[in-house]
Amino acid sequence: LSNRTMKGRSLQTARAYWKFADQLASAENNTGPEKFMDVYRDLKQKAKEAKISEYGSLSQYLTAADMCETGIVNFPTAEDMGVCIYELKAGGISGLEILGYLDRTEGKHSKTDVTHAFVQYYKDVDDHLSGADKENMGWNTVVGEHTLCKVKRLWHRLQHV
């Protein structure tokens, strides 16, 4: 392993990663789908216990989202997704700003404002998609959040055209 690895990443943490992976895999033995927010929050605690500091909010969110696709975890409600977007403070907020669901001049947004903005965005898009479109694209709250991140990326690329 070279000296140019990211801080905290080394062969010594490999055991912690495997232990953590075993804990996640054991979730498959549950009797039914878990609530998204319970799993999202539990992932943070498990990473802390396993002493994996590099496993941050985005990784926790993406792991929980992947678990939704497998059926282990229920998809988040629009309200829960708004809370996640607020906590991640990443592309989702920028996407909501670009699309006009949040005021871009306001600076920091409250959890309530971000949650309401996502709920309204999700409802607006959901209302305009046909049932066939939703089925074809697998439309759900996770895809809605992912789309907001792509809006941000596209917006920034268009600024340089």
Side-chain angles (χ1 to χ4, degrees):
L1 204 56
S2 81
N3 290 333
R4 294 193 277 160
T5 59
M6 291 180 64
K7 181 182 176 187
R9 292 190 181 175
S10 71
L11 292 176
Q12 287 75 25
T13 60
R15 279 197 183 117
Y17 279 101
W18 282 110
K19 180 180 176 185
F20 185 58
D22 285 341
Q23 289 174 335
L24 294 180
S26 71
E28 293 181 26
N29 298 323
N30 290 336
T31 56
E34 298 282 326
K35 290 183 179 178
F36 180 86
M37 291 304 281
D38 291 345
V39 172
Y40 174 66
R41 301 262 186 257
D42 192 44
L43 289 170
K44 184 174 191 168
Q45 185 60 37
K46 281 185 170 58
K48 186 177 179 180
E49 290 168 4
K51 295 181 172 61
I52 302 175
S53 60
E54 303 85 21
Y55 190 75
S57 296
L58 181 59
S59 296
Q60 295 155 21
Y61 164 73
L62 292 172
T63 301
D66 286 346
M67 293 171 92
C68 292
E69 294 295 338
T70 66
I72 297 170
V73 175
N74 287 318
F75 282 93
T77 65
E79 291 80 6
D80 288 344
M81 184 56 73
V83 171
C84 288
I85 290 169
Y86 172 80
E87 291 178 0
L88 292 171
K89 298 199 184 343
I93 289 177
S94 295
L96 289 168
E97 289 174 340
I98 291 164
L99 294 175
Y101 288 93
L102 287 171
D103 185 358
R104 296 188 88 186
T105 61
E106 195 174 294
K108 291 186 179 184
H109 303 288
S110 71
K111 185 189 306 187
T112 300
D113 289 344
V114 173
T115 300
H116 287 305
F118 182 80
V119 168
Q120 188 60 54
Y121 150 78
Y122 187 76
K123 182 185 180 318
D124 289 349
V125 175
D126 192 69
D127 287 349
H128 286 89
L129 293 174
S130 70
D133 286 340
K134 291 176 198 177
E135 186 175 335
N136 287 335
M137 68 189 301
W139 178 250
N140 56 53
T141 52
V142 172
V143 172
E145 183 278 336
H146 184 70
T147 302
L148 289 172
C149 296
K150 299 311 161 214
V151 165
K152 176 189 176 189
R153 181 174 280 180
L154 177 62
W155 180 260
H156 288 292
R157 287 189 181 185
L158 290 174
Q159 300 304 307
H160 295 93
V161 175

